[in-house]
Amino acid sequence: MAVGVLEHHPYGTVRLHVPAARGQPVELPAEVLAHAVDLSPQMIEHARAAGAGTDVAYAVADVARLPFEDATFDLIVSSLSQHHWADVPGAVRDLRRVLRPGGRLWIYDVRWMLRGATREVRAAFGADAVRRDVVRRFVARLSATVPGPLSTGSSSG
Ligand SMILES: C[S@@+](CC[C@H](N)C(=O)[O-])C[C@H]1O[C@@H](n2cnc3c(N)ncnc32)[C@H](O)[C@@H]1O
């Protein structure tokens, strides 16, 4: 799970994590409905176990074929996954489909691997709607909470 992002973001009442994984327990306000997806059943099991006690609905799914209605989510967060996506244009298309008008899509990944996704989201949402920020703190927080080394030096959203 993308800890830190959930703690800080001010948007919306419904959230989706793409994918789930690192599994830090997250405290959610009662009115928040959170979904977490990942392509890997093992990763979903790991996230479910680590997130026990939190009100999150987990599902095995491909980001390019999300099992959700159109315009479902106020906020979508993807952490360190985009560089694995086999179909980046299809993923961005489906993320846009399930995002509500005015919703936010935050894609965190290693900066130099974000070029493909940046091009796609600019085409899908309009260049003016897309912002890239360096967020070293995000990776620092993950490093602090996840056992084992992280190979990334910085990420961009
Ligand atoms: C480096 S891990 C990051 C996991 C987690 N988001 C985190 O921050 O700890 C990358 C994850 O992306 C998932 N993944 C790769 N391709 C995917 C796809 N097309 N749809 C959904 N998840 C995918 C993998 O199964 C893997 O769990």
Side-chain angles (χ1 to χ4, degrees):
M1 287 235 150
V3 289
V5 175
L6 269 180
E7 288 167 12
H8 296 304
H9 88 80
Y11 302 111
T13 55
V14 182
R15 303 165 190 178
L16 168 71
H17 279 237
V18 183
R22 286 191 197 273
Q24 297 301 315
V26 177
E27 283 184 29
L28 300 173
E31 74 277 12
V32 169
L33 173 59
H35 289 259
V37 305
D38 194 289
L39 199 53
S40 153
Q42 291 82 2
M43 196 61 98
I44 285 295
E45 275 319 302
H46 171 70
R48 186 180 279 125
T54 59
D55 193 12
V56 178
Y58 296 93
V60 175
D62 188 330
V63 65
R65 279 182 292 280
L66 292 164
F68 304 109
E69 304 279 325
D70 295 357
T72 297
F73 296 103
D74 297 306
L75 175 66
I76 299 174
V77 181
S78 169
S79 77
L80 303 176
S81 172
Q82 173 268 324
H83 62 275
H84 291 286
W85 299 349
D87 177 11
V88 174
V92 171
R93 207 164 36 242
D94 219 37
L95 288 164
R96 186 168 193 268
R97 179 185 68 75
V98 300
L99 195 64
R100 283 194 182 136
R104 304 288 171 128
L105 168 61
W106 295 351
I107 301 176
Y108 292 84
D109 212 326
V110 184
R111 195 180 339 170
W112 57 88
M113 291 179 173
L114 270 171
R115 287 201 192 102
T118 303
R119 195 169 48 243
E120 293 301 328
V121 292
R122 283 189 174 137
F125 291 87
D128 291 348
V130 178
R131 209 177 78 194
R132 284 188 59 151
D133 294 314
V134 176
V135 282
R136 289 185 175 82
R137 258 186 77 216
F138 177 68
V139 171
R141 285 190 67 110
L142 284 176
S143 302
T145 52
V146 175
L150 266 176
S151 56
T152 50
S154 65
S155 291
S156 296

